[in-house]
Amino acid sequence: QVQLVESGGGLVQPGGSLRLSCAASRRSVSINAMAWYRQAPGKQRELVAVITSGGNTNYADSVKGRFTISRDNAKNTVYLQMNSLKPEDTAVYYCNVEYRSSTSGAYIPGSWGQGTQVTVSS
């Protein structure tokens, strides 16, 4: 199983920036898509951004033009650069990946990590 560890969250003022990182626990694993999600208090977890192994990206409408997802395949790490942050971006941010199972050969999701808290407030 692939474990995920997120970092980089914190308290930032509206209009500020943060860069989140997420590393997969196993380097020697084939990873397809990598994605960031977030969950605000009292709300369901939502997809924020996704990046394929080929580098194609897709974003939630609410973050387009402000957030940028990227990845380092050598490190099996995914990043989320967040600019022009708004109070409504406040949430716990999680990442997840699709990786190739060594037993079945199918692509399956990793295990959710603890997430990293992002708070946007003045």
Side-chain angles (χ1 to χ4, degrees), residues 25-95:
S25 60
R26 288 165 52 190
R27 294 283 182 91
S28 59
V29 63
S30 175
I31 292 180
N32 186 16
M34 307 180 84
W36 284 96
Y37 298 78
R38 66 186 181 187
Q39 187 166 18
K43 294 187 178 181
Q44 290 190 329
R45 191 170 299 184
E46 63 173 349
L47 178 64
V48 174
V50 60
I51 184 168
T52 68
S53 58
N56 293 317
T57 59
N58 201 7
Y59 298 90
D61 287 343
S62 58
V63 307
K64 280 181 181 176
R66 300 188 298 122
F67 291 10
T68 302
I69 188 170
S70 60
R71 61 191 286 171
D72 184 334
N73 291 328
K75 297 180 179 179
N76 277 348
T77 298
V78 62
Y79 305 96
L80 187 68
Q81 178 66 43
M82 305 186 296
N83 299 327
S84 302
L85 282 161
K86 304 176 180 180
E88 50 264 43
D89 295 317
T90 295
V92 179
Y93 283 71
Y94 303 86
C95 72

Side-chain angles (χ1 to χ4, degrees), residues 104-117:
S104 69
Y107 278 97
I108 59 176
S111 297
W112 292 102
Q114 296 296 311
T116 186
Q117 176 71 48

